[in-house]
Amino acid sequence: MIEREGLVHVYTGTGKGKTTTSLGLALRALGHNLSVYMVQFMKSGDTGELFSVQKYLPNFQIIQFGKDALAEKQLKIYSFEGKEADVKQLSEEEIYTFRSDDDEKEPARMGFEHAKRIVMNGQYDLVILDEINCVLDKKLIPVEEVLELIQQKPRHVELVLTGRGAPAEILKAADYVSEIRRIKHPYDVGILARKGIEY
């Protein structure tokens, strides 16, 4: 752990690449021996980043708090050290099916409580809250709670918030804000999510 000023990043917008951008930052941090923890909200699928982290990336953990990741009381935890929970195989259709807001409310709360513990214990240099902006946009967690986390986090922790619909209060509180705008997407012509590219 390196004592330095940790800043707050927001990756938002309607375009593809918000999670991917945060993973690029994670890769850079790992290259300098920083430790990384990603909490994924509203996601339950076996995506490529989970397998990469498990196989190749030391000092990186990912945990999912989508409804289907909790459906059978199994939190998917991946780490280089081989600490892997039992994995429920989901179909490719399930990977990108967001559940209703009511279904995701309890998992979002559980995920945020977990994220707060991870951030506040200061063990990790970079913490990514993937899709937290969507959680806030859907009002599954009050924005005031995330603002409080931003204000109270340990000084050295770099914090990343991804997802479309980032509230204005979050944009104001962040040090970096990047909006990824959708100009063109293969979904528009019926090309569905492709393994290794979209997930």
Side-chain angles (χ1 to χ4, degrees):
M1 188 168 59
I2 299 172
E3 280 298 330
R4 59 175 175 23
E5 187 70 27
L7 301 180
V8 178
H9 306 238
V10 171
Y11 303 132
T12 193
T14 58
K16 169 182 164 50
K18 297 173 289 293
T19 298
T20 308
T21 300
S22 71
L23 289 166
L25 179 59
L27 184 64
R28 175 176 288 166
L30 292 166
H32 288 288
N33 298 315
L34 301 182
S35 55
V36 182
Y37 200 106
M38 175 182 269
V39 179
Q40 291 191 318
F41 295 86
M42 303 178 70
K43 288 184 177 177
S44 304
D46 296 329
T47 57
E49 60 263 27
L50 298 178
F51 300 128
S52 293
V53 165
Q54 179 190 13
K55 293 177 185 177
Y56 306 117
L57 298 175
N59 299 321
F60 192 174
Q61 288 204 38
I62 300 179
I63 184 169
Q64 292 184 330
F65 279 93
K67 180 182 184 299
D68 291 324
L70 305 178
E72 297 179 6
K73 295 185 171 59
Q74 56 191 32
L75 304 180
K76 294 181 182 180
I77 302 174
Y78 294 78
S79 75
F80 180 76
E81 298 164 348
K83 298 174 184 174
E84 181 181 347
D86 292 334
V87 175
K88 182 182 86 168
Q89 295 298 320
L90 298 177
S91 70
E92 293 187 11
E93 290 77 21
E94 289 177 293
I95 286 173
Y96 277 100
T97 302
F98 285 106
R99 303 302 179 201
S100 73
D101 294 355
D102 286 342
D103 285 346
E104 291 290 358
K105 190 162 191 175
E106 183 180 356
R109 170 52 62 187
M110 292 173 64
F112 187 65
E113 293 303 320
H114 181 76
K116 284 197 294 187
R117 288 191 295 272
I118 293 298
V119 170
M120 295 307 295
N121 74 21
Q123 178 183 350
Y124 292 89
D125 301 295
L126 172 63
V127 179
I128 301 166
L129 307 185
D130 187 35
E131 305 295 354
I132 188 69
N133 296 330
C134 294
V135 167
L136 295 175
D137 186 50
K138 292 173 178 290
K139 303 189 184 328
L140 303 180
I141 299 289
V143 68
E144 292 78 16
E145 293 190 36
V146 178
L147 290 171
E148 183 178 353
L149 180 62
I150 289 171
Q151 292 160 1
Q152 295 182 357
K153 72 174 185 63
R155 179 176 176 270
H156 71 279
V157 173
E158 200 87 8
L159 186 61
V160 177
L161 295 82
T162 79
R164 62 179 61 201
E169 301 95 322
I170 296 296
L171 300 179
K172 184 176 179 181
D175 300 292
Y176 299 84
V177 175
S178 296
E179 181 178 9
I180 299 175
R181 187 164 58 96
R182 175 174 173 162
I183 297 173
K184 190 176 184 181
H185 198 292
Y187 290 175
D188 300 335
V189 293
I191 299 174
L192 301 180
R194 296 167 299 147
K195 188 181 296 185
I197 304 299
E198 273 76 41
Y199 65 93

